[in-house]
Amino acid sequence: MNKDYYGILGVDRKAVLADIKKAYRKLARKHHPDLNPGDKAAEAKFKEIQEAYSVLSDPKKKAQYDQFGFVGDVPPGAGGGFRGAGQPGGFQGFNFSDSGTSTLDDLFASIFGGGVRGAARLAPERGEDLNYAMRVGFEDALHGLQTKIRLNRLTDCAECRGRGTKSRAGDRACPSCRGTGQATQQVGSMRFASPCPACGGSGLAQSPPCAACSGSGAKPGTETINVRIPAGVDTGSRVRIPGKGNAGSRGGPPGDLFIVIEVEPHPVFRREGPDLFVKVPVSVSEAALGADIDVPTLGGRATIKLPAGTRSGQKFRLKGRGAPFSGRRGPGDEYVEVTIVPPSVSNPRVRELMKELAEIEGPGPREQRGASS
């Protein structure tokens, strides 16, 4: 008998997609195998719900089902092909227990002998990436540097030259797949392709593993390499050195080396990306009357003009006097923050002048603020 997919989901035949989705989600949560461990009836019901939803949520399948009462070349139960469609998007979440297999990998294994997992173990693999922590000076980070580092990493085995095999038989084409690296199989109207189980997808003949590296094609070693740190790096920057990670397995390509930067602090400047910040002390008279003052920059001293009435904490921008930065055209800016330093009152004349200034100023800024509020 043809299955009543509308009845399985408990919706009317005129139900719209939103109603179908709502019913599916409610039933799927109720009968999901993870929520009903060991319950075969719930598992069967869940697969039935999956099958119904896969048909009714697909406009083409739904149209065929509404017209003929089944989906596919033959009615359900007449044999041939896979029954049901699993979740939308393929066989994910489907249990192939009816065919004696529990996962999609197991199904392929039954078709090809050894399956995808067994083939992958023989295939060449890319080597792991490595991280190397480097502490650089403030100036070196700004202008860049070239240096040498001593690195411990896996390198190609000298005995087999990274092949992982005892002889050079791996240079010949695999007789099973004729060098294509793939095995194909026709199952009904469906055609499957997977890595060749004989050569692991490499397309090359396999020989006994190399005794020196146990077939991995790599051995631990120490190497001194030249590295160039570009201008403008900052703490946390990662500089990639291609091909200097661990060697690959069974002839696979090597990974990459990443230099992870930590920049030493500067005694004067504070850096935020491409911008530099510096605090400069000024006297009370310079801040009050205005003055031309010298400030430090990366290129030496520069002069800025303080306007009369400059306040402590006020910032002044020097455009283009900041740091170079990776990925940015041109340097950033420098920001000069003014810090007003009060005079020493140990000098009697200074103390006398400060008293005169207090009398002239009248109420202090705190009292003035309180009066205005």
Side-chain angles (χ1 to χ4, degrees), residues 24-73:
Y24 163 72
R25 289 169 182 162
K26 180 179 179 181
L27 292 173
R29 283 195 297 266
K30 179 179 179 182
H31 298 284
H32 198 286
D34 290 345
L35 301 178
N36 301 274
D39 189 339
K40 295 296 183 181
E43 181 180 352
K45 184 65 176 178
F46 181 75
K47 290 199 294 182
E48 192 177 45
I49 294 167
Q50 293 277 79
E51 181 181 339
Y53 179 73
S54 70
V55 172
L56 298 184
S57 62
D58 186 304
K60 292 183 179 180
K61 292 180 181 180
K62 183 176 183 295
Q64 182 181 352
Y65 175 75
D66 289 341
Q67 184 175 1
F68 301 107
F70 64 89
V71 175
D73 297 331

Side-chain angles (χ1 to χ4, degrees), residues 71-151:
V71 175
D73 297 331
V74 294
F82 290 105
R83 293 187 295 132
Q87 292 180 348
F91 297 107
Q92 181 179 1
F94 219 85
N95 188 335
F96 293 91
S97 58
D98 291 343
S99 60
T101 56
S102 57
T103 66
L104 188 57
D105 279 351
D106 294 334
L107 178 65
F108 283 127
S110 67
I111 295 174
F112 298 110
V116 179
R117 293 177 181 171
R121 286 195 291 268
L122 300 174
E125 294 181 3
R126 181 181 181 275
E128 293 180 335
D129 293 334
L130 296 178
N131 290 328
Y132 183 95
M134 177 182 290
R135 187 176 174 89
V136 299
F138 191 88
E139 298 288 340
D140 288 335
L142 296 181
H143 304 299
L145 78 153
Q146 288 190 350
T147 186
K148 294 182 178 181
I149 63 172
R150 192 172 177 83
L151 182 67

Side-chain angles (χ1 to χ4, degrees), residues 6-321:
Y6 291 101
I8 291 173
L9 294 182
V11 296
D12 187 80
R13 296 186 70 88
K14 295 182 181 181
V16 296
L17 181 58
D19 295 332
I20 293 172
K21 285 184 177 180
K22 182 178 180 181
Y24 163 72
R25 289 169 182 162
K26 180 179 179 181
L27 292 173
R29 283 195 297 266
K30 179 179 179 182
H31 298 284
H32 198 286
D34 290 345
L35 301 178
N36 301 274
D39 189 339
K40 295 296 183 181
E43 181 180 352
K45 184 65 176 178
F46 181 75
K47 290 199 294 182
E48 192 177 45
I49 294 167
Q50 293 277 79
E51 181 181 339
Y53 179 73
S54 70
V55 172
L56 298 184
S57 62
D58 186 304
K60 292 183 179 180
K61 292 180 181 180
K62 183 176 183 295
Q64 182 181 352
Y65 175 75
D66 289 341
Q67 184 175 1
F68 301 107
F70 64 89
V71 175
D73 297 331
V74 294
F82 290 105
R83 293 187 295 132
Q87 292 180 348
F91 297 107
Q92 181 179 1
F94 219 85
N95 188 335
F96 293 91
S97 58
D98 291 343
S99 60
T101 56
S102 57
T103 66
L104 188 57
D105 279 351
D106 294 334
L107 178 65
F108 283 127
S110 67
I111 295 174
F112 298 110
V116 179
R117 293 177 181 171
R121 286 195 291 268
L122 300 174
E125 294 181 3
R126 181 181 181 275
E128 293 180 335
D129 293 334
L130 296 178
N131 290 328
Y132 183 95
M134 177 182 290
R135 187 176 174 89
V136 299
F138 191 88
E139 298 288 340
D140 288 335
L142 296 181
H143 304 299
L145 78 153
Q146 288 190 350
T147 186
K148 294 182 178 181
I149 63 172
R150 192 172 177 83
L151 182 67
N152 296 321
R153 71 185 190 100
L154 294 177
T155 57
D156 286 339
C157 173
E159 293 293 327
C160 65
R161 298 183 181 180
R163 295 188 308 271
T165 55
K166 188 175 181 180
S167 67
R168 296 183 63 83
D171 294 339
R172 300 196 306 271
C174 171
S176 296
C177 64
R178 298 181 181 180
T180 64
Q182 286 191 333
T184 59
Q185 179 75 24
Q186 191 81 23
V187 181
S189 61
M190 303 179 69
R191 188 176 182 86
F192 294 93
S194 71
C196 172
C199 66
S202 67
L204 302 175
Q206 299 294 313
S207 70
C210 170
C213 63
S214 301
S216 68
K219 296 188 70 175
T222 302
E223 183 179 359
T224 299
I225 62 173
N226 293 313
V227 297
R228 187 181 75 84
I229 306 301
V233 295
D234 203 353
T235 294
S237 296
R238 287 161 57 89
V239 180
R240 175 174 171 261
I241 313 296
K244 289 301 181 180
N246 281 335
S249 299
R250 296 175 291 279
D256 297 331
L257 172 65
F258 290 89
I259 309 294
V260 183
I261 302 297
E262 181 185 356
V263 180
E264 296 176 353
H266 192 275
V268 175
F269 297 106
R270 177 174 60 85
R271 181 181 172 191
E272 292 184 9
D275 297 326
L276 296 178
F277 297 82
V278 61
K279 291 184 178 182
V280 176
V282 297
S283 67
V284 172
S285 59
E286 288 174 328
L289 303 176
D292 293 336
I293 63 170
D294 290 338
V295 297
T297 70
L298 290 177
R301 309 294 292 184
T303 301
I304 63 173
K305 185 177 184 63
L306 295 183
T310 296
R311 296 177 177 274
S312 187
Q314 191 169 341
K315 292 184 176 67
F316 298 88
R317 177 188 176 206
L318 295 177
K319 187 176 181 179
R321 293 298 188 97

Side-chain angles (χ1 to χ4, degrees), residues 314-353:
Q314 191 169 341
K315 292 184 176 67
F316 298 88
R317 177 188 176 206
L318 295 177
K319 187 176 181 179
R321 293 298 188 97
F325 196 67
S326 296
R328 174 192 171 106
R329 181 177 297 178
D333 301 325
E334 178 177 333
Y335 292 88
V336 179
E337 181 180 344
V338 170
T339 302
I340 298 177
V341 180
S344 172
V345 292
S346 59
N347 186 308
R349 178 57 181 160
V350 171
R351 187 178 182 86
E352 182 180 346
L353 290 173

